[in-house]
């Protein structure tokens, strides 16, 4: 009996580390971005690749905030899911975590097609911090993992092209100010999950667009794609063209055969069907294919080195097996952004499903034979013409209004729709979703004045798009308005005017520390480290006098400002003042791994080498250690010539010669 496709709510219980509060300080500094191309490689790149690498790279994650409030204490917790199921496949989606597809289970073969992480452990891989590994994620915005990795999306039932139902996910992506949608459905009797994606630019100017669908699969696979060359990019930031499958004496289509973490962006020829597959020793596994606009295909490997293996353990639990990522994107590489014209859109269709092949062919020495075997089997399982036809059938449904609401995202899209009075058919951003974060901006829109806070507390998020900046400039010049205006001006590159706005606000502001902190960042960026340290010390003093309680908001503000103040003071060797900041941090803050690392640095600066070494010997875990960061190893090397202990070895690149 054929089971009709169903969409239902469910709950998945996993060991989960809570996200905690966001960092309340606006992220003013340029991104510490690992995905930058070394200038030595730019001159030799194809013209279109070089142009798109240089097109509108992201320089700030404003208006987003950093998500760094999580730790590594995991407890079983129920997570809301949406399950899409027919008689062949079952897909499990987390609407509260970026719409991640955490499981794609093929019933006839009893096979999980994805790498399914047994825990939900945030780590600092997203553009704004918190991210977790496993499943299929939808990366929109800019180079890197989306800021929506651990954020809720809107979700609802929508009519599917085959008269059944599909699940629609949608949100307003804030880095580029673009609404997008992801429609998922399972035709009756289908072995493939269909995914229709649309990104829209409702504005009067072109916008840069970035999209990569990121699929985690077990690493004991061979990854195949229709290419004989790839662009290799590692954490040493060099981009070079390499042959596929063999490079530097090893077949890199087997993920464990790379020593260090690296990306391989496959050079898929024009006219070639777009696909990528990850197949086990029996020749079975997952295949992903799409219509032509989703041009790029990529393999990411952690490698067999100590750092890569340590990251694998860090993101899950030891002994649960490693993973690699196969990906599909709008551009040739993830280092590029493509231009989306004003008042236009881009859309495509993806399909995910099982593939069974001849193991001898796909694991044989002849790459052309292996590729042909996958392509032939894929054409038999899901003809290219059927994918194109499914896309054409989906397009008229892309504007269909959602029915039953299954999950609610943020209110930022509703605010933008309210401001611009724009129509985004199929993805309603209802005024009912406006919340506390949007309330002062809605008042600015309605009255022309930004409200002053009714009680003391860290200032809310700043909107930085030109239209909001214009409104702030014409609003009454109150302290909080000047603060937000300065942040928006800073984001626009008008640094001098931003400083003037913050200095004006200081004259009347009841709360000085947010302004002093912004001015301290400006001093650092200008190279005035001593004045930056002065302002950070003054800001931290003011915060400690103003904070009202031990609640999450004030604790997060104290931790965030204290961390920056400690760094600024230690940079100019004012260890006594740094110790004073340390002593006023909450005990719960000082016990966190990030601050244990800072404590070791402080002890070393005070001349207590043994004390600093003792911190390492006692053990700590920096929950928000950034992808590619080398701070732990750098401090260890200042303490001792001994090898870096394995528990602290997160190095993602070869030693610099």
């Amino acid at each position: 009996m054929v089971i009709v496709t169903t969409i239902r709510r469910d709950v998945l219980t996993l060991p989960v580390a809570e996200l905690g509060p966001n960092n309340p300080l606006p992220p003013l500094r340029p991104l510490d971005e690992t995905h930058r191309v070394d200038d030595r490689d730019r001159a030799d790149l194809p013209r279109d690749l070089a142009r798109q690498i240089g097109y509108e790279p992201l320089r700030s994650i404003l208006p987003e905030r950093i998500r760094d409030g999580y730790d590594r204490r995991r407890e079983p917790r129920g997570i809301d899911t949406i399950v899409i199921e027919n008689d062949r496949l079952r897909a499990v989606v987390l609407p509260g975590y970026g719409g991640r597809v955490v499981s794609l289970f093929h019933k006839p073969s009893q096979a999980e097609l994805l790498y399914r992480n047994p825990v939900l452990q945030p780590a600092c891989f997203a553009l704004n911090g918190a991210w977790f590994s496993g499943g299929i994620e939808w990366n929109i915005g800019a180079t890197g993992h989306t800021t929506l990795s651990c954020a809720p999306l809107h979700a609802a039932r929508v009519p599917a092209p085959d008269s059944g139902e599909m699940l629609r996910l949608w949100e307003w992506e804030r880095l580029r100010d673009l609404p997008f949608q992801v429609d998922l459905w399972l035709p009756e009797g289908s072995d493939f999950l269909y995914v229709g994606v649309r990104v829209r630019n409702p504005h009067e100017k072109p916008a840069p667009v970035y999209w990569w669908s990121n699929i985690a699969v077990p690493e004991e696979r061979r990854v195949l794609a229709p290419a004989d060359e790839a662009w290799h990019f590692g954490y040493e930031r060099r981009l070079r063209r390499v042959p596929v499958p063999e490079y530097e004496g090893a077949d890199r289509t087997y993920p464990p055969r790379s020593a260090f973490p690296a990306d391989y962006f496959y050079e898929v020829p024009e006219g070639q069907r777009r696909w990528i597959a990850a197949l086990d020793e029996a020749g079975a596994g997952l295949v992903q294919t799409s219509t032509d606009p989703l041009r790029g295909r990529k393999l990411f490997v952690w490698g067999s080195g100590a750092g890569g293996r340590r990251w694998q353990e860090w993101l899950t639990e030891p002994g649960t097996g490693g993973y690699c990522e196969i990906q599909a994107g709008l551009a040739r590489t993830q280092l590029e952004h493509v231009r989306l014209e004003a008042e236009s859109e881009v859309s495509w269709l993806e399909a995910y499903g099982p593939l069974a092949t001849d193991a001898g062919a796909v694991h044989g020495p002849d790459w052309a034979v292996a590729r042909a075997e996958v392509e032939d089997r894929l054409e038999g399982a899901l003809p290219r013409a059927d994918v194109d036809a499914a896309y054409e059938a989906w397009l008229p449904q892309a504007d269909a209004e959602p029915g039953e609401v299954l999950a609610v995202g943020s209110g930022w899209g509703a605010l933008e729709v309210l401001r611009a009075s724009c129509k985004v058919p199929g993805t309603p951003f209802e005024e009912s979703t406006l919340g506390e974060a949007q309330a002062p901006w809605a008042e600015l829109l309605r009255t022309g004045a930004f409200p002053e806070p009714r009680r003391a507390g860290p200032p809310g998020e700043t909107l930085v798009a030109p239209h909001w900046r214009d409104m702030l400039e014409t609003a009454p010049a109150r302290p909080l308005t000047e603060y937000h205006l300065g942040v928006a001006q800073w984001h626009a590159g008008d640094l001098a005017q931003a400083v003037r706005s913050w200095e004006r606000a200081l004259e009347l502001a009841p709360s000085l520390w947010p302004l002093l902190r912004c001015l301290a960042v400006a001093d650092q960026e200008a190279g005035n480290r001593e004045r930056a340290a002065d302002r950070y010390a003054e800001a931290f003093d003011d915060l400690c006098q103003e904070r009202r309680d031990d609640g999450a908001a004030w604790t997060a503000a104290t931790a965030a400002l204290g961390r920056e103040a400690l760094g600024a003071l230690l940079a100019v060797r004012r260890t006594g003042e740094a110790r004073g900041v340390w002593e006023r941090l909450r005990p719960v803050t000082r016990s966190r791994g990030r601050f244990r690392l800072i404590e070791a640095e402080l002890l070393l600066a005070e001349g207590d080498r043994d004390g600093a070494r003792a911190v390492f010997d006692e053990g700590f875990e920096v929950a928000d250690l950034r992808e590619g960061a080398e701070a732990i190893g750098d401090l260890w090397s200042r303490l001792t010539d001994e090898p870096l202990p394995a528990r602290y070895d997160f190095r993602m690149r070869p030693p610099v010669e």
Side-chain angles (χ1 to χ4, degrees):
M1 180 182 71
V2 175
I3 299 176
V4 175
T5 300
T6 61
I7 298 175
R8 57 184 169 85
R9 290 191 182 98
D10 205 345
V11 174
L12 174 65
T13 299
L14 287 176
V16 176
E18 295 287 353
L19 288 170
N22 288 350
N23 188 318
L25 305 182
L28 300 177
R29 291 182 177 82
L31 290 172
D32 179 20
E33 181 51 62
T34 58
H35 303 98
R36 280 201 315 270
V37 179
D38 191 294
D39 289 339
R40 291 172 289 177
D41 297 326
R42 287 180 180 263
D44 298 326
L45 297 177
R47 185 174 300 176
D48 64 328
L49 178 56
R51 182 180 65 252
Q52 292 189 162
I53 286 176
Y55 175 57
E56 297 288 345
L58 192 68
R59 294 181 173 85
S60 166
I61 69 158
L62 286 166
E64 292 282 1
R65 289 287 177 87
I66 301 294
R67 292 179 177 269
D68 61 2
Y70 53 88
D71 56 28
R72 293 186 57 79
R73 295 192 301 271
R74 297 192 288 263
E75 296 181 358
R77 184 165 70 86
I79 303 172
D80 290 335
T81 68
I82 301 173
V83 179
I84 312 170
E85 187 168 15
N86 67 3
D87 60 331
R88 312 286 294 177
L89 282 176
R90 180 171 61 247
V92 180
V93 180
L94 304 187
Y97 289 83
R100 184 80 61 96
V101 180
V102 292
S103 172
L104 187 60
F105 185 76
H106 186 233
K107 297 178 183 180
S109 62
Q110 291 292 290
E112 174 59 60
L113 301 179
L114 306 174
Y115 168 74
R116 185 168 182 172
N117 198 332
V119 304
L120 202 163
Q121 174 60 61
C124 192
F125 278 71
L127 288 166
N128 62 338
W131 169 89
F132 64 102
S133 65
I136 306 170
E137 59 179 303
W138 318 110
N139 287 307
I140 182 174
T143 299
H145 293 283
T146 178
T147 60
L148 297 167
S149 293
C150 291
L153 302 189
H154 300 279
R157 299 178 191 270
V158 182
D162 61 358
S163 301
E165 286 186 320
M166 60 184 175
L167 171 65
R168 175 162 298 163
L169 306 165
W170 73 96
E171 243 307 351
W172 196 284
E173 200 285 317
R174 301 175 68 204
L175 296 182
R176 304 303 196 180
D177 242 355
L178 303 176
F180 72 97
Q181 71 189 77
V182 179
D183 290 353
L184 304 97
W185 78 101
L186 282 170
E188 290 183 20
S190 174
D191 279 312
F192 284 83
L193 174 68
Y194 285 1
V195 182
V197 183
R198 177 168 62 167
V199 182
R200 286 185 275 193
N201 177 11
H203 307 297
E204 296 177 351
K205 294 182 179 180
V209 173
Y210 172 95
W211 184 282
W212 282 79
S213 300
N214 183 356
I215 310 131
V217 293
E219 67 179 352
E220 295 296 333
R221 300 288 188 270
R222 188 178 202 190
V223 173
L224 301 99
D228 294 314
E229 292 183 311
W231 293 91
H232 173 275
F233 187 74
Y235 284 80
E236 64 274 24
R237 296 175 177 168
R238 301 301 305 274
L239 182 66
R240 56 180 72 104
R241 195 193 299 257
V242 301
V244 175
E246 189 169 304
Y247 169 53
E248 291 186 341
D251 187 334
R252 307 295 176 165
T253 61
Y254 292 92
R257 296 182 186 177
S258 291
F260 291 93
D263 299 325
Y264 293 89
F265 299 105
Y266 294 110
E267 189 69 68
V268 180
E270 286 295 328
Q272 170 67 51
R273 184 177 186 180
R274 272 64 168 148
W275 58 265
I276 190 166
L279 305 176
D280 63 18
E281 61 183 8
L286 174 77
V287 65
Q288 186 269 3
T289 187
S290 72
T291 51
D292 288 351
L294 202 65
R295 168 186 181 177
R297 292 298 185 275
K298 170 195 161 181
L299 165 64
F300 168 76
V301 299
W302 282 107
S304 58
R309 306 325 297 172
R310 183 69 180 106
W311 274 116
Q312 292 260 39
E313 293 178 353
W314 187 254
L315 297 172
T316 180
E317 292 182 334
T320 57
Y323 75 96
C324 64
E325 294 169 358
I326 59 175
Q327 304 188 24
L330 282 176
R332 180 182 291 169
T333 73
Q334 286 178 330
L335 309 170
E336 306 164 71
H337 301 94
V338 300
R339 179 184 175 102
L340 184 59
E341 296 299 335
E343 299 178 339
S344 68
E345 64 183 51
V346 60
S347 61
W348 62 91
L349 185 104
E350 305 179 44
Y352 297 80
L355 194 69
T357 66
D358 179 82
V362 297
H363 291 289
D366 192 320
W367 177 242
V369 169
R371 279 179 45 188
E373 169 67 11
V374 174
E375 189 134 359
D376 289 347
R377 295 297 182 111
L378 173 59
E379 186 65 18
L382 184 63
R384 183 178 188 179
D386 287 3
V387 175
D388 292 337
Y391 170 71
E392 294 298 332
W394 166 71
L395 269 182
Q397 299 301 113
D399 282 348
E401 288 304 308
E404 179 191 2
V405 173
L406 300 172
V408 178
S410 78
W412 295 113
L415 184 67
E416 291 301 326
V417 168
L418 189 65
R419 179 198 63 81
S421 299
C422 61
K423 302 291 185 182
V424 277
T427 54
F429 295 95
E430 305 289 352
E431 277 194 55
S432 61
T433 63
L434 292 171
E436 183 178 351
Q438 294 82 39
W441 298 95
E443 184 168 334
L444 173 64
L445 185 63
R446 185 175 62 255
T447 68
F450 197 91
E452 286 295 299
R454 294 186 177 89
R455 60 183 184 276
E461 298 179 55
T462 303
L463 298 183
V464 296
H467 40 266
W468 292 108
R469 188 174 72 247
D470 291 345
M471 280 186 263
L472 290 168
E473 287 176 345
T474 58
R478 299 167 181 165
L480 187 56
T481 305
E482 293 289 304
Y483 162 81
H484 285 301
L485 176 57
V487 174
Q489 290 165 332
W490 181 272
H491 176 264
D494 193 350
L495 309 189
Q497 190 58 56
V499 168
R500 284 192 287 271
S501 295
W502 293 325
E503 288 176 340
R504 281 196 305 271
L506 274 177
E507 298 173 6
L508 296 174
S511 181
L512 302 181
W513 65 267
L515 297 159
L516 289 168
R517 181 264 176 178
C518 290
L519 290 167
V521 173
D523 285 333
Q524 286 180 322
E525 293 300 304
N528 195 335
R529 300 196 302 166
E530 285 289 350
R531 191 166 69 178
D534 290 341
R535 280 176 161 158
Y536 265 122
E538 187 180 354
F540 193 75
D541 288 344
D542 185 69
L543 170 60
C544 289
Q545 293 174 26
E546 183 179 300
R547 65 187 180 190
R548 298 291 186 265
D549 52 47
D550 292 337
W554 283 110
T555 299
T558 306
L561 185 58
R563 175 175 166 178
E564 292 187 12
L566 283 163
L569 290 165
L570 288 173
V572 294
R573 301 182 180 180
R574 288 158 60 170
T575 55
E577 291 173 86
R579 174 59 66 179
V581 171
W582 174 264
E583 296 296 339
R584 284 176 288 171
L585 294 172
R586 304 294 196 198
V588 69
T589 299
R590 292 201 298 265
S591 68
R592 293 176 60 183
R594 168 62 63 182
F595 286 87
R596 296 302 313 281
L597 178 62
I598 294 173
E599 181 184 18
E601 186 178 4
L602 175 58
L603 288 165
L604 182 60
E606 293 172 329
D608 187 356
R609 185 176 296 271
D610 291 341
R613 174 61 186 264
V615 173
F616 276 88
D617 292 343
E618 290 167 13
F620 59 87
E621 292 184 323
V622 181
D624 63 331
L625 186 67
R626 182 70 176 165
E627 172 190 12
E630 299 176 349
I632 296 177
D634 290 345
L635 183 57
W636 176 264
S637 67
R638 291 165 56 195
L639 284 173
T640 178
D641 293 330
E642 297 175 27
L644 182 65
R647 67 179 297 179
Y648 299 124
D649 190 354
F650 293 90
R651 291 172 291 191
M652 301 179 76
R653 60 176 178 164
V656 178
E657 297 179 357

